[in-house]
Amino acid sequence: ILNVEQSPQSLHVQEGDSTNFTCSFPSSNFYALHWYRWETAKSPEALFVMTLNGDEKKKGRISATLNTKEGYSYLYIKGSQPEDSATYLCAFSSGNTGKLIFGQGTTLQVKP
Amino acid sequence: SQTIHQWPATLVQPVGSPLSLECTVEGTSNPNLYWYRQAAGRGLQLLFYSVGIGQISSEVPQNLSASRPQDRQFILSSKKLLLSDSGFYLCAWSVINTEAFFGQGTRLTVV
């Protein structure tokens, strides 16, 4: 069984705070690591797909890093805004089947 | 452009009744297709995934089954629903190593 663990489970921050979440995954047979943002009443939307050890990706105030050798990825949000409030999911893909295993998510609440 | 349709959006079914949720994809060929479930307060649990017509992998033992009768159609079924089948079901598609695209989800309540 492949386990993908995310921490913390939930996070409450003030507007303007920077924050980061962790995703840990099996380091063997790695293929890709995905990050998704899931807002209430909407479908999850992809933020990043990373495949190479040491990868760093950025989209606006959100960035992510990847360490495939030790099996973790960090998602950073700089200067959190209320509209960043959502559940952030990471997903791990192993082998070449494309099967995506999700973590339980980190729910972020940003207070104005 | 690619789109994914999932229906119905909400469903209330009595215990012991059958279930059929349908998902169709447009604008792509031979996608990987997935059924996920979010139980209350938890992340997305992979139920089934398919890499081609008639090819279904079941991830967890359960009361549900899936079928892929056509390349871009994925169906989640049950012969007799249990209370524990209640939850939020999401269909998704992807091509290997690219992002997954999700349907709008089905909120199933078994009463």
Side-chain angles (χ1 to χ4, degrees):
Chain A
I1 296 178
L2 299 172
N3 283 327
V4 180
E5 300 289 338
Q6 290 187 248
S7 64
Q9 186 174 352
S10 65
L11 200 54
H12 292 77
V13 301
Q14 290 294 131
E15 182 175 355
D17 289 349
S18 293
T19 186
N20 66 85
F21 323 133
T22 303
C23 174
S24 61
F25 52 87
S27 54
S28 60
N29 206 21
F30 174 85
Y31 213 69
L33 192 284
H34 299 218
W35 280 100
Y36 292 82
R37 171 192 163 89
W38 193 5
E39 293 181 71
T40 303
K42 294 185 178 180
S43 303
E45 292 186 344
L47 292 171
F48 307 111
V49 178
M50 296 184 287
T51 57
L52 299 176
N53 184 44
D55 239 357
E56 292 188 28
K57 295 209 171 181
K58 186 175 181 181
K59 184 183 290 188
R61 294 179 289 100
I62 305 177
S63 59
T65 61
L66 178 66
N67 183 323
T68 61
K69 294 184 178 180
E70 296 182 39
Y72 65 84
S73 175
Y74 293 137
L75 186 78
Y76 300 91
I77 302 179
K78 183 178 179 181
S80 302
Q81 300 296 308
E83 57 265 31
D84 295 328
S85 298
T87 295
Y88 291 84
L89 297 165
C90 72
F92 165 77
S93 174
S94 70
N96 60 358
T97 64
K99 181 171 73 171
L100 282 175
I101 304 296
F102 280 83
Q104 72 273 41
T106 293
T107 299
L108 173 67
Q109 189 72 34
V110 182
K111 299 178 182 177
Chain B
S1 63
Q2 305 95 343
T3 57
I4 178 169
H5 303 281
Q6 181 183 343
W7 69 92
T10 60
L11 194 58
V12 180
Q13 291 284 100
V15 169
S17 64
L19 173 74
S20 180
L21 302 181
E22 190 162 342
C23 175
T24 59
V25 180
E26 296 176 359
T28 188
S29 297
N30 197 32
N32 285 352
L33 295 173
Y34 309 87
W35 277 110
Y36 289 94
R37 176 171 62 197
Q38 183 197 30
R42 299 178 63 182
L44 293 177
Q45 180 186 37
L46 180 62
L47 302 177
F48 301 95
Y49 81 103
S50 171
V51 299
I53 296 174
Q55 300 178 61
I56 309 293
S57 294
S58 174
E59 293 300 300
V60 291
Q62 58 204 317
N63 184 42
L64 302 168
S65 62
S67 61
R68 185 171 178 173
Q70 300 180 47
D71 181 44
R72 290 170 287 182
Q73 184 186 25
F74 207 23
I75 298 171
L76 183 69
S77 304
S78 174
K79 292 181 179 178
K80 290 185 177 181
L81 283 168
L82 306 172
L83 286 173
S84 57
D85 292 324
S86 293
F88 188 68
Y89 291 81
L90 276 168
C91 177
W93 74 270
S94 75
V95 177
I96 289 178
N97 273 357
T98 65
E99 63 189 277
F101 296 89
F102 290 83
Q104 293 299 306
T106 297
R107 174 75 59 191
L108 172 66
T109 304
V110 182
V111 297

